[in-house]
Amino acid sequence: MEKLRYLKKHSFRHLRRIMNKSLLIYTIIFLLVLFFKSHVSTASEYASEIFSKIRTENLDISESLGSYSKGCLAGAKYLPSNQSYYDALKPSRNRYWGHPNLINFIEEISQKIYSQYGNGILIGDMAMPRGGPMPFGHKSHQNGLDVDIFYQRKPDYQMQRFDLETYQPKSILTENQEEIQNDLWSNYHHELLEIISKNKMVTRIFVNPVIKKKLCIQAIEKNDTDWLKKIRPWGGHYKHFHVRLECPQESGSCISQTPVRDFHGCNEELDNWLKKDKIFESNSNKIKKWILLSDLPKSCKKVIQ
């Protein structure tokens, strides 16, 4: 009888040890699955959803990471308010962040335009606080080196927050998007684009093909076409033009575009654009989800932490 009690007692202890070990093993497996699942789900999330939810900048050293259309931004700077030289429209979008080079460029160019023409400029989208893909409106503007500038001059009155959110700049093109509105176009626009294109940091300026055609006609008449090589025809861009800066020297992970050809581009390339059925739409409010976090440079994961 004593022997039977002894066996039962030790069998129970042995069973309890096995159960404890099994519980520990299952707990470890459960935690590993959770860890793996969280990392996989983050990597498979749409990057635009992740980056657009972050409302503040990363505090690292400023660096443009990746390319203009697959990248992010560390140490972004916010475009400061300046009601004399420029105004930034739709501030609620929180897209007025950029690499310090872009901030300096906007301040320098806007001051130059103001001193020469007596008006400020209107700024559109730049980048989000940590760059990355936007949920709508752009495929680029991801590494803090892109900015949209409207053709329409800044109004000469002080724009309040409501004005900045609701102001609608006019299109330079006619309603059918096939011709320039001559009552809106002036030498100012030609000279504005020429001044900006001659800035050493600028690598490209995207304009509507119809506008590029107008610039070609005027520049050829003046026998001054060298600066047109940076003016690139692209769909949309009839209310604003899109300025792109070169990769900063200190941003070693920034991916530059191939330099533009040393040619004005007022030839077959432009003609091909003008033959397209729809050359005027490139920007919309449609939600876009085409890039996963795993598609971006690995360093972008650190930027969003």
Side-chain angles (χ1 to χ4, degrees):
M1 193 72 176
E2 288 294 327
K3 186 175 182 181
L4 183 60
R5 287 176 185 165
Y6 176 82
L7 288 173
K8 284 183 178 180
K9 184 177 180 181
H10 281 268
S11 296
F12 180 75
R13 288 178 179 174
H14 181 66
L15 180 61
R16 190 166 59 181
R17 288 197 197 100
I18 292 174
M19 290 179 65
N20 288 340
K21 286 181 179 179
S22 298
L23 181 62
L24 178 62
I25 290 171
Y26 282 122
T27 302
I28 292 172
I29 291 173
F30 177 74
L31 292 173
L32 286 173
V33 168
L34 280 181
F35 176 80
F36 179 74
K37 186 177 179 180
S38 66
H39 278 65
V40 169
S41 63
T42 300
S44 62
E45 278 189 77
Y46 290 113
S48 59
E49 292 182 346
I50 298 171
F51 280 89
S52 62
K53 291 175 183 175
I54 302 174
R55 306 297 293 176
T56 58
E57 76 276 29
N58 169 284
L59 299 178
D60 289 345
I61 296 173
S62 298
E63 185 177 6
S64 295
L65 302 165
S67 68
Y68 303 93
S69 56
K70 272 190 181 181
C72 60
L73 177 62
K77 303 300 178 187
Y78 190 78
L79 182 69
S81 176
N82 189 320
Q83 294 181 335
S84 295
Y85 301 146
Y86 59 80
D87 264 320
L89 301 184
K90 292 184 170 52
S92 62
R93 285 187 172 191
N94 200 25
R95 295 180 175 182
Y96 291 105
W97 300 82
H99 187 278
N101 284 11
L102 184 63
I103 303 297
N104 294 337
F105 163 78
I106 293 170
E107 292 178 331
E108 177 187 324
I109 284 295
S110 61
Q111 186 173 357
K112 186 172 185 178
I113 296 302
Y114 184 84
S115 63
Q116 288 188 216
Y117 300 96
N119 64 268
I121 58 176
L122 291 172
I123 303 296
D125 286 346
M126 294 165 55
M128 296 189 295
R130 305 193 191 190
M134 296 181 180
F136 63 89
H138 304 281
K139 285 188 177 180
S140 57
H141 289 254
Q142 293 192 30
N143 62 0
L145 298 171
D146 294 295
V147 57
D148 291 338
I149 300 177
F150 290 95
Y151 294 103
Q152 193 167 335
R153 305 176 193 225
K154 176 186 175 304
D156 56 7
Y157 59 83
Q158 185 172 330
M159 300 182 77
Q160 303 300 323
R161 178 62 183 255
F162 179 80
D163 300 316
L164 296 174
E165 293 289 351
T166 59
Y167 191 80
Q168 295 293 330
K170 296 178 181 178
S171 169
I172 286 293
L173 303 186
T174 54
E175 189 173 349
N176 63 10
Q177 308 295 339
E178 293 179 357
E179 298 176 350
I180 297 286
Q181 293 200 67
N182 290 320
D183 58 328
L184 295 180
W185 183 267
S186 68
N187 285 335
Y188 164 77
H189 299 98
H190 183 102
E191 293 165 7
L192 172 66
L193 289 163
E194 183 176 359
I195 288 170
I196 293 176
S197 70
K198 290 181 177 179
N199 185 285
K200 292 181 179 180
M201 287 194 294
V202 173
T203 179
R204 281 171 170 78
I205 302 173
F206 298 100
V207 304
N208 187 277
V210 177
I211 295 172
K212 167 83 180 204
K213 181 181 177 181
K214 179 72 171 180
L215 294 171
C216 285
I217 292 171
Q218 293 179 328
I220 290 172
E221 287 176 354
K222 297 178 181 179
N223 195 28
D224 179 23
T225 60
D226 289 346
W227 59 278
L228 285 175
K229 64 185 179 184
K230 291 184 182 179
I231 307 294
R232 310 300 297 162
W234 204 260
H237 301 92
Y238 45 81
K239 292 184 179 181
H240 72 265
F241 54 93
H242 174 169
V243 180
R244 174 165 293 166
L245 303 191
E246 64 185 358
C247 282
Q249 289 184 350
E250 65 275 13
S251 293
S253 298
C254 183
I255 301 174
S256 299
Q257 279 187 276
T258 304
V260 295
R261 289 192 304 147
D262 191 14
F263 186 66
H264 54 60
C266 301
N267 56 349
E268 291 181 4
E269 178 189 33
L270 179 57
D271 292 338
N272 289 335
W273 268 102
L274 294 168
K275 290 175 184 176
K276 290 179 183 283
D277 291 336
K278 201 171 185 182
I279 63 173
F280 47 85
E281 292 293 349
S282 69
N283 198 348
S284 73
N285 290 334
K286 184 178 179 181
I287 301 298
K288 299 177 180 179
K289 300 177 180 179
W290 63 86
I291 297 179
L292 301 178
L293 181 61
S294 56
D295 294 326
L296 300 180
K298 292 181 180 179
S299 49
C300 289
K301 292 182 181 179
K302 181 183 176 183
V303 169
I304 62 173
Q305 291 175 354

